Amino acid sequence: LMGVALLVGTWVEQGTARAPAAQWLGRLAAFASLGLASGLFYTGWVFFWQDYPRGANPGASVLLLVLYACAVAPLGALLGLWFKDRERALQVLLLTALPMAFLSGFSWPVEAMDAPLQALRWCIPSTAAIQASLRLNEMGAPWQAVAWHMALLVAVGVLATTATVLLARVRLPASHVRR
């Protein structure tokens, strides 16, 4: 999230962020593939090397990882476009990283949160990914048990991709517009 926002913020500063939709979809696919490779390394080799409990439902875990990477990449790009410079993106994301970790329910019990915070936490992709990953990796749950979490990641990915492509589209000069 932070890396993509920083890179896109740099593109905005340099005036190279505007591009056709196909180019943006390619950029987002590249960003997501980096996240996917990182996640596969972590859940594959690192889990094995550290003897971390794993493998209860590897197929659904890989699907979850793909959906998560495809949700976070466009969200990072959208934040980079919105903040318009890399320093602002870094400041905001560093400031909000710890609250996002607490809101995800990973390090703080959900029951101890107020109702508005419990609702707000589902706007953060890591919440759905962490909750689903725990169920799949640790408990061996079937993918149907986390279908709602996966659907939420798909929704975030589609909304963020659409917003990114619309916000960063190339605007043609008035002389090129058909009437």
Side-chain angles (χ1 to χ4, degrees):
L1 186 70
M2 193 177 301
V4 173
L6 289 171
L7 181 59
V8 173
T10 301
W11 290 344
V12 171
E13 289 176 358
Q14 295 172 347
T16 58
R18 297 224 178 268
Q23 187 173 345
W24 264 104
L25 293 175
R27 290 173 177 178
L28 296 176
F31 295 148
S33 68
L34 291 173
L36 181 60
S38 174
L40 288 173
F41 171 75
Y42 182 74
T43 58
W45 171 248
V46 173
F47 276 18
F48 174 77
W49 184 50
Q50 295 293 325
D51 198 28
Y52 193 78
R54 69 201 173 278
N57 191 343
S61 293
V62 170
L63 176 61
L64 176 68
L65 182 58
V66 169
L67 296 176
Y68 179 68
C70 290
V72 170
L75 192 58
L78 184 61
L79 291 173
L81 289 168
W82 185 41
F83 293 133
K84 293 187 175 41
D85 63 47
R86 62 182 179 264
E87 289 83 11
R88 182 78 46 184
L90 182 64
Q91 292 167 343
V92 171
L93 291 174
L94 280 176
L95 182 68
T96 58
L98 193 56
M100 282 192 285
F102 281 116
L103 285 174
S104 71
F106 179 70
S107 59
W108 188 265
V110 176
E111 295 79 18
M113 293 181 203
D114 292 333
L117 291 178
Q118 287 186 23
L120 176 67
R121 73 191 199 107
W122 292 108
C123 296
I124 305 167
S126 61
T127 300
I130 289 170
Q131 298 304 317
S133 180
L134 288 173
R135 287 171 176 77
L136 293 173
N137 243 354
E138 306 291 324
M139 300 177 204
W143 73 269
Q144 294 90 343
V146 297
W148 185 85
H149 299 90
M150 290 183 177
L152 185 64
L153 290 173
V154 168
V156 168
V158 167
L159 289 173
T161 299
T162 303
T164 298
V165 169
L166 290 175
L167 189 61
R169 69 183 182 274
V170 174
R171 292 193 177 99
L172 295 174
S175 61
H176 287 58
V177 177
R178 291 184 182 198
R179 294 177 191 216

